[in-house]
Amino acid sequence: MSHQPSSTVRVAVTQFEPAWLDLPKAVEKTCRLIREAAENGAKLVSFPECWIPGYPAWIWYVREYSCPSSISKNSLQADSAEMRRICQSAADHHIAVVLGFSENFKGSLYISQAIINAEGSIEVLRRKLKATHMERTMFGDASGSALQNVVELPDVGRVGTLACWEHTQPLLKYHTYHQRETIHVAAWPPLYEHDGGPGLYSMSKEGIATLRTASGVTMNTPGGGSSAIFGPDGRLVADGLPETEEGFIYAELQLDDILKAKGFLDVCGHYSRPDLLWLGVDKKEKTHVV
């Protein structure tokens, strides 16, 4: 008798302050939140862009201060004891994890994401296809493996992820759609509704003090949490907490709603014209020496 996946999945979205530029504390907090989400019945928990070791807000304005050595030393290596501890936490509590982190690979930094299954194995390890604007002063670009961003997870479904302004790239989004996502994790740094002024992003008092952004034109006031969960038709399923508060957002996702949405509009199915328009993809990882 074949196993029929559940039509309902409980998920958790984090709205918490990072452990700024402190890798050991960041790993400890990550594992604690993984445990808490699992204890509250979630099968999947997601973390924002550069959750470890916190988004480097100072890059968005020019001044004499920066902490490249601090973020480099406290960024997470994919093959490390710290990553193995996070994976073990996922396994111990039998919960899938989507983790955003600054990746240190041989001294260079990348905005990376990992999808870890409930047995503690990394199913997806990808980098942001193109670092955004001022992020390019610190982070490198990805290669072909970044396109492998969706995976089947038992008891959850097909989970995929993109980071921040990757969501503005139509071809990348179409390629993601075409991998038949059940759940999409859109990872962003702290972002709040625009107030009409010059500000874009914000964070906590501790983050402002640690990154010294108080005198900057952006990310200079407390706040900025805006986590939420949306259904396949764009409807808000679970609203966020107040922007200055930490906490989880939980939702019971009704997976059959996907069938309703696709029955109405399926841009990779009945509402597509591959005889006229199609996407070419090169998934090959490019290396420095051939």
Side-chain angles (χ1 to χ4, degrees), residues 7 9 24 27 40 67 71 89 96 109 114 118 129 187 245:
S7 61
V9 176
V27 172
N40 282 283
C67 4
I71 193 169
S89 181
L109 299 182
L129 205 64
E245 291 186 14

Side-chain angles (χ1 to χ4, degrees), residues 5 36 39-40 43 97 106 114 169 184 190 197 207 215 230 279 290:
E36 183 178 340
E39 288 173 348
N40 282 283
K43 295 295 184 182
V97 177
K106 299 181 179 180
Q169 299 186 26
H184 179 73
S215 62
F230 297 89
L279 174 64
V290 177

Side-chain angles (χ1 to χ4, degrees), residues 107-144:
S108 288
L109 299 182
Y110 301 88
I111 295 174
S112 295
Q113 295 170 299
I115 301 180
I116 305 166
N117 67 24
E119 285 69 48
S121 297
I122 297 177
E123 296 276 6
V124 167
L125 181 62
R126 69 178 302 271
R127 294 168 179 166
K128 192 173 185 178
L129 205 64
K130 185 74 177 178
T132 298
H133 204 273
M134 294 301 293
E135 291 171 358
R136 296 175 208 168
T137 63
M138 177 168 295
F139 296 104
D141 292 341
S143 190

Side-chain angles (χ1 to χ4, degrees), residues 153-173:
L153 297 179
D155 301 322
V156 178
R158 294 188 62 78
V159 176
T161 188
L162 292 172
C164 200
W165 277 15
E166 286 189 314
H167 293 89
T168 69
Q169 299 186 26
L171 300 183
L172 179 58
K173 288 196 294 184

Side-chain angles (χ1 to χ4, degrees), residues 14-279:
T14 55
Q15 182 170 298
F16 287 88
E17 179 182 5
W20 299 102
L21 303 181
D22 191 325
L23 181 58
K25 288 184 178 179
V27 172
E28 180 182 352
K29 186 166 188 174
T30 302
C31 293
R32 174 171 59 80
L33 296 178
I34 289 172
R35 182 184 71 245
E36 183 178 340
E39 288 173 348
N40 282 283
K43 295 295 184 182
L44 174 71
V45 59
S46 66
F47 293 89
E49 184 181 34
C50 289
W51 162 254
I52 297 176
Y55 187 83
W58 71 84
I59 60 177
W60 285 92
Y61 65 97
V62 179
R63 57 168 295 165
E64 71 281 359
Y65 176 78
S66 66
C67 4
S69 61
S70 297
I71 193 169
S72 181
K73 290 178 180 178
N74 288 283
S75 290
L76 183 62
Q77 296 182 41
D79 183 11
S80 65
E82 290 84 4
M83 179 63 91
R84 285 188 285 275
R85 183 180 171 191
I86 293 170
C87 290
Q88 188 60 53
S89 181
D92 289 345
H93 303 289
H94 201 67
I95 183 173
V97 177
V98 180
L99 179 69
F101 63 102
S102 170
E103 179 188 356
N104 184 329
F105 181 73
K106 299 181 179 180
S108 288
L109 299 182
Y110 301 88
I111 295 174
S112 295
Q113 295 170 299
I115 301 180
I116 305 166
N117 67 24
E119 285 69 48
S121 297
I122 297 177
E123 296 276 6
V124 167
L125 181 62
R126 69 178 302 271
R127 294 168 179 166
K128 192 173 185 178
L129 205 64
K130 185 74 177 178
T132 298
H133 204 273
M134 294 301 293
E135 291 171 358
R136 296 175 208 168
T137 63
M138 177 168 295
F139 296 104
D141 292 341
S143 190
S145 61
L147 298 175
Q148 305 287 355
N149 62 323
V150 179
V151 67
E152 180 78 33
L153 297 179
D155 301 322
V156 178
R158 294 188 62 78
V159 176
T161 188
L162 292 172
C164 200
W165 277 15
E166 286 189 314
H167 293 89
T168 69
Q169 299 186 26
L171 300 183
L172 179 58
K173 288 196 294 184
Y174 186 82
H175 181 260
T176 301
Y177 300 159
H178 208 270
Q179 295 177 72
R180 297 180 295 108
E181 282 184 304
T182 308
I183 299 171
H184 179 73
V185 177
W188 298 78
L191 176 65
Y192 64 94
E193 184 177 356
H194 200 276
D195 61 3
L200 290 175
Y201 300 96
S202 193
M203 57 187 60
S204 70
K205 289 182 179 179
E206 182 177 345
I208 292 167
T210 301
L211 304 182
R212 304 184 191 178
T213 59
S215 62
V217 295
T218 65
M219 303 195 192
N220 53 15
T221 57
S226 59
S227 301
I229 301 174
F230 297 89
D233 60 354
R235 194 174 313 226
L236 187 63
V237 174
D239 204 354
L241 302 164
E243 68 174 58
T244 55
E245 291 186 14
E246 290 188 302
F248 280 106
I249 302 164
Y250 292 98
E252 302 282 347
L253 302 185
Q254 306 298 324
L255 300 187
D256 285 350
D257 287 347
I258 297 171
L259 302 177
K260 298 176 186 177
K262 280 196 170 185
F264 185 66
L265 173 63
D266 186 353
V267 296
C268 294
H270 62 79
Y271 206 74
S272 65
R273 287 296 304 272
D275 56 326
L276 299 176
L277 298 167
W278 62 92
L279 174 64

